[in-house]
Amino acid sequence: MPLLTAAKRASYWVNQAAIVVCIACVVAMLAISFVGFLYTVFTGGALSWTYSLARVFLPWIGLISVTIAFYAGEHVAMTILVKLLPAALVRIVAIACLAVIAVFALMLIWYGWDFFINARQTYMVSDQIQIPQYYTAVSVPLTGAITLLHLVNGFDLLEHYVSTEAHLIEEVLGERPEDDR
């Protein structure tokens, strides 16, 4: 199991890096928007590039934050439906759910890589600022790869497999819940 432990540790650190990337993108968007706001306040004119440049960060924020939510178990879950199922079916549904997520991640990688390779357009922010589309297109296969990596955490990713009371107690105590299934 040392390989699984190493993969879970890698998943943890990749998630931490994804958080930093998302925070950096949000801060960059806010800074660009704030510069545009200040320019408008002080000069009465508007910078044409601030809105367009800020939009370049949206795919990164949107896609990478999906992996952060997935790692934290904060994704869409049909908890009510799962609670109505018998215990034997819950495990089958959980395995099916993880399999569907894996297929989705593989599709993100497969089609996202093709999208990235064929991204030949240039995003015209202004006459002077031109950003190749592949800077935003690479976020699609990267999201798929991170999602696949997070799947090493197995059932811990699924909300209905975590005991709410125990999870809250461990969270208050600052402990990471252990897989005791």
Side-chain angles (χ1 to χ4, degrees):
M1 290 295 198
L3 182 62
L4 183 61
T5 303
K8 285 185 177 185
R9 189 173 300 123
S11 174
Y12 171 80
W13 286 110
V14 166
N15 187 60
Q16 296 303 309
I19 291 169
V20 170
V21 167
C22 282
I23 290 171
C25 287
V26 169
V27 167
M29 279 184 68
L30 289 173
I32 291 165
S33 298
F34 192 66
V35 165
F37 167 74
L38 288 178
Y39 186 84
T40 302
V41 167
F42 289 119
T43 66
L47 293 172
S48 62
W49 54 267
T50 55
Y51 176 71
S52 298
L53 185 58
R55 282 190 337 184
V56 170
F57 295 101
L58 281 176
W60 281 94
I61 294 168
L63 289 169
I64 300 301
S65 65
V66 166
T67 66
I68 296 167
F70 179 58
Y71 181 84
E74 298 294 332
H75 50 84
V76 176
M78 298 189 174
T79 307
I80 294 173
L81 177 63
V82 171
K83 287 183 179 185
L84 294 174
L85 294 174
L89 272 178
V90 170
R91 189 165 183 83
I92 293 169
V93 169
I95 291 169
C97 181
L98 292 174
V100 167
I101 292 170
V103 168
F104 178 70
L106 288 170
M107 290 175 67
L108 278 173
I109 293 170
W110 181 263
Y111 292 108
W113 185 256
D114 188 47
F115 175 57
F116 168 66
I117 294 298
N118 294 315
R120 305 212 190 291
Q121 297 177 348
T122 301
Y123 187 65
M124 301 291 289
V125 176
S126 71
D127 292 341
Q128 292 80 24
I129 303 172
Q130 301 172 8
I131 300 174
Q133 185 186 15
Y134 57 80
Y135 282 122
T136 55
V138 73
S139 63
V140 178
L142 183 62
T143 298
I146 293 172
T147 302
L148 270 182
L149 177 62
H150 287 335
L151 282 172
V152 299
N153 294 299
F155 294 133
D156 289 340
L157 299 170
L158 302 177
E159 179 182 87
H160 52 272
Y161 258 89
V162 178
S163 171
T164 308
E165 295 81 17
H167 183 67
L168 288 174
I169 292 168
E170 289 169 347
E171 196 173 291
V172 168
L173 294 175
E175 299 172 354
R176 183 176 164 93
E178 296 295 323
D179 189 14
D180 56 350
R181 288 177 216 95

